[in-house]
Every structure is written in structure tokens, then in C-alpha cells.
Amino acid sequence: MATQMQMAREGKITDAMKQVALDEHLSPEVIRAGVAKGVIAIPCNINHKGLKPRGVGEGLRVKVNANIGTSSTYPEVAPELDKLAEAVKCGADAVMDLSTGNNIDKSRKEIIEHSPVMVGTVPLYQATVRAIKEHGAVVEMTEEDILETIEKQAKDGADFMTLHCGVTLAAVERMRKQGRIMDIVSRGGSFIAGWMLHNERENPLYEHFDKILDICETYDVTLSLGDGMRPGCTADATDRGQLTELITLGELVDRAWRRGVQVMVEGPGHVPYDQIAANMKLEKRLCRNAPFYVLGPLVTDVAPGYDHITAAIGGTLAAVSGADFLCYVTPAEHLALPTIEDVHTGVITSRIAAHAADMVRGVPGAVEWDRKMAEARKILDWDAQLELAIDPELARKKRGERNKAGEEACSMCGDYCAVKIISKYFDKPQCPCND
């Protein structure tokens, strides 16, 4: 069976392309052309049943991902399914299953089965857990462990996979020579870097890239080239290790596209505000405008408990500057496994950042949404305002708790509502003599 990219290059408009076109208010031909070129990806594994395809990339609405999944501390899958439901309810376009608990296969299969949005995975997590159980240490992991895990997750229906193919010996050595405060903070990046340094061998994800492409082509898995060298603090941003990896990822984009495999590229991380635009432009240049998927970026390191805000500040600028896909950050970032409330806050906050960028990017309907809200506020139409809110439940709750029933103004201004006062003068009929 052909991939979405292969069919697009043959001039075929698939059902997935039609669905994306409908959602984005664009013509199916625009979507087909973008997929054929590689600037749009539609992650939709042939084995993910019940999926509503979404597009990521050039000219499309900025998408939002929510990370969920079990851990060794919290191994039960039921709470993660609740988080999945909450993320979808809040408007997430994707979820990533980052499970490392006792039964990773069960977690992944149930999340994919219950998810109407695209699901991403990180196969190296499961391969690492397997290596510890079977061989006693991460560094004893074999190439077969990795490739078998990738194929298993592809068969199960993972729509996109984060694979840290660009963490090469050269990138690690450049990072070490320049020096970093936080070294490597990516879990997948640290696993593979540790394996490489212990075994004195090149990254097997890089060496066996063609075998990975075979798997992705078979199941139409979108390859999400992971940023294993991403900076873990603002002081480490845009260094030699990060950029060496990015150059390698650009070369791997070319190889994937030659095979007709869809690709996204992942990016930082912790980045000072004044470096964000340059980072986005570098990725787009080196990776030929492949869709760019970023974590944040977080613009400061000092806000644990509020990192959803530091990520939103960076996320809007990143998306205005070229990023296409924002991975949410929750208030629990750097602190704990997120709760369902953290998931809610993380998704809504990232959606705000994405929408602010959509208005600037010229995404159809983005500016109109804000205009409708302004028109509703102008006439104090509370029902319309609450319906248009990005988080209607929270807006209704606050409105109901802090205002008397039927009150036209809000309790902040009360009798001194500026909108109400000025409307008495601006909205009354003008005297003909003033024309």
C-alpha cells in the first residue's frame, strides 16, 4: 500500500487529504501538492482505525500535541485514557504515548484504539525497558531490540514516531568539546548517547535508517526526527551539538522523501526569546521546509509550576517564525507526572499560543474568530462570548461565580462598564445636521 506522499506524487487525492482540506478551509489540491512536496504531513498509520486525519505544515493551522503515558511510578493505563479523553475534549490535535510503565504494549494499544486524533510514540523508550529486563542494562540493547520495537509499534497503529537518528558520535563530541551546563536532557537522546559511548559505536538509528524507512513505508508511519541534542536550559541553546544534529536531520529528510516517507522535524527546547526566530529559520532552511515540531520553546528556566506560560510565550513566536506543531507543556513540567487538570491547562495554553500565531500566519478563520468575540463583547452578548471562548467551561464557571444572574455588565466594572457607557452615545442615531 502506498504512503500519503507517494499517492500525492501520483496526483491522487486521498480521503485523508480531503478531510484535511475540509478542516483547513483549503482546496484538496493545495493539500495534495503540499504532501507531495513534503511541506505538509498527514500522519495516519494504515492500522489506526477511527482516526480523523489532521495535517501539519505549511499554510495550515498550527497543531497542538499532548504528552500522556504511564511511568514506573504510575503504571496504570486507565488514568492515561482519561487524560487522552480530556486532551481531545480540549482540542488537542495529537497525543504522544510516552509510556515506560509495566505494560507498554497494552498502554499503546489502548491509547491508539481510543484515540480519534493522531498518536505518536517513542520506540526507544520501550526498547530501553526491554533491554534492562532482558540484558540487565540499557547499554546492552541490540539493534534488533530497536528495529523490532519500531515495527511492533508501527503494526499497532502509531501514526508518527520520534526517532533520535541525528544523535551521532560527531554531534556528541562537538557538544562535549564546547561544553554544556545540562548536557543531554532528552530521554531518548541520553539513552542512545550512553549506548554509543559505552559501545564505541555509531547510533544504530542512523546506521539502519534505510531499514527504518522500510517499516515507515509499509505502514505509512510519519517519521518525527527527534531532537536528542536539544538544549535543556537557555544557556545551552543554539550550540554546536544542537546544530550538528539539525544538519544531519536535514540530510535524513532528503533520504526519507526519496522513499516517499512523510517527515516532521523536532526542535528545541529551552531557547532565549531572541534566538527563537533564528532557530526556526535555520530548521526550515536546513530541512527544506519540512513541518517543524517544537517543545515550547521555553524562554526561561526559572518558572517551575508555570512552565506552560514560559512555553506559550516561546510557542507563539516559534509558530509565527515557521514552527507548525507545538508540543504542550503543563504546569507539572520539570516537577511531576501531569494530572488530568495539568493536561487541560497545558492543551488550552498551547492552543492559545497556536491561535495567536494563526492570526499572523493568515490561517483561514483565525482572525474571524477574534472578530466574532469582539462583536459579541460590543453588545454584551454573554452567551455568544462564552460559546466563542477557547475554554468555554472555565469562562462559564468564572462568569457564573462572580456575577449576579442576569447582570449585563461584569462585576469588574459594574455600573462603570466602558462598553455600556459609550454605547449610549455611539449607538444612538446621529442628527442629520451632523452629516
Side-chain angles (χ1 to χ4, degrees), residues 180-183 185 230-237 269-272 298 301:
R180 268 188 178 185
I181 295 175
M182 290 290 294
D183 298 324
V185 298
R230 68 174 180 265
C233 64
T234 55
D236 291 339
H270 292 243
V271 182
L298 284 76
D301 304 325

Side-chain angles (χ1 to χ4, degrees), residues 177-208:
K177 283 184 176 179
Q178 183 174 5
R180 268 188 178 185
I181 295 175
M182 290 290 294
D183 298 324
I184 296 176
V185 298
S186 159
R187 271 193 293 185
S190 68
F191 293 157
I192 207 67
W195 186 95
M196 291 158 54
L197 295 171
H198 177 83
N199 293 286
E200 298 182 343
R201 291 180 54 192
E202 187 54 274
N203 182 351
L205 292 169
Y206 179 75
E207 287 195 323
H208 297 288

Side-chain angles (χ1 to χ4, degrees), residues 298-360:
L298 284 76
V299 296
T300 180
D301 304 325
V302 300
Y306 298 92
D307 275 329
H308 56 303
I309 298 173
T310 66
I313 293 168
T316 293
L317 180 56
V320 167
S321 304
D324 307 290
F325 196 6
L326 303 181
C327 184
Y328 84 168
V329 172
T330 78
E333 185 77 10
H334 300 113
L335 300 171
L337 189 74
T339 64
I340 194 167
E341 292 80 13
D342 292 326
V343 169
H344 179 103
T345 300
V347 171
I348 294 296
T349 307
S350 290
R351 284 189 61 210
I352 294 168
H355 173 66
D358 286 342
M359 294 176 67
V360 178

Side-chain angles (χ1 to χ4, degrees), residues 137-394:
V138 174
V139 293
E140 300 301 325
M141 180 170 55
T142 67
E143 289 95 331
E144 289 74 22
D145 291 334
I146 297 172
L147 293 171
E148 286 173 9
T149 302
I150 293 171
E151 182 148 25
K152 175 186 291 197
Q153 296 194 2
K155 282 183 178 179
D156 286 345
D159 300 297
F160 63 98
M161 292 185 185
T162 293
L163 294 171
H164 305 83
C165 305
V167 182
T168 59
L169 288 169
V172 173
E173 185 58 22
R174 286 200 175 101
M175 181 203 76
R176 292 177 73 180
K177 283 184 176 179
Q178 183 174 5
R180 268 188 178 185
I181 295 175
M182 290 290 294
D183 298 324
I184 296 176
V185 298
S186 159
R187 271 193 293 185
S190 68
F191 293 157
I192 207 67
W195 186 95
M196 291 158 54
L197 295 171
H198 177 83
N199 293 286
E200 298 182 343
R201 291 180 54 192
E202 187 54 274
N203 182 351
L205 292 169
Y206 179 75
E207 287 195 323
H208 297 288
F209 191 67
D210 287 328
K211 292 180 180 178
I212 292 170
L213 292 179
D214 290 339
I215 297 169
C216 291
E217 183 179 8
T218 299
Y219 299 96
D220 199 3
V221 175
T222 297
L223 188 57
S224 191
L225 294 171
D227 53 337
M229 305 292 291
R230 68 174 180 265
C233 64
T234 55
D236 291 339
T238 326
D239 69 353
R240 296 168 193 165
Q242 178 192 335
L243 297 184
T244 299
E245 179 185 37
L246 184 58
I247 291 169
T248 301
L249 298 185
E251 294 167 349
L252 295 179
V253 166
D254 292 345
R255 289 172 61 181
W257 282 353
R258 284 197 291 268
R259 289 285 297 275
V261 171
Q262 299 187 99
V263 183
M264 300 186 292
V265 178
E266 299 185 14
H270 292 243
V271 182
Y273 193 83
D274 64 340
Q275 295 180 32
I276 291 174
N279 269 261
M280 303 306 112
K281 294 181 188 305
L282 274 171
E283 187 280 340
K284 288 292 182 176
R285 172 64 174 163
L286 295 174
C287 300
R288 303 189 190 277
N289 292 314
F292 198 19
Y293 175 27
V294 298
L295 177 67
L298 284 76
V299 296
T300 180
D301 304 325
V302 300
Y306 298 92
D307 275 329
H308 56 303
I309 298 173
T310 66
I313 293 168
T316 293
L317 180 56
V320 167
S321 304
D324 307 290
F325 196 6
L326 303 181
C327 184
Y328 84 168
V329 172
T330 78
E333 185 77 10
H334 300 113
L335 300 171
L337 189 74
T339 64
I340 194 167
E341 292 80 13
D342 292 326
V343 169
H344 179 103
T345 300
V347 171
I348 294 296
T349 307
S350 290
R351 284 189 61 210
I352 294 168
H355 173 66
D358 286 342
M359 294 176 67
V360 178
R361 287 162 60 111
V363 171
V367 171
E368 287 78 6
W369 184 6
D370 277 61
R371 183 177 181 83
K372 287 178 181 178
M373 177 63 87
E375 290 169 347
R377 284 179 173 158
K378 161 74 173 174
I379 60 175
L380 298 174
D381 184 342
W382 288 102
D383 288 339
Q385 289 181 61
L386 299 177
E387 187 65 29
L388 288 164
I390 200 165
D391 189 351
E393 286 189 10
L394 180 62

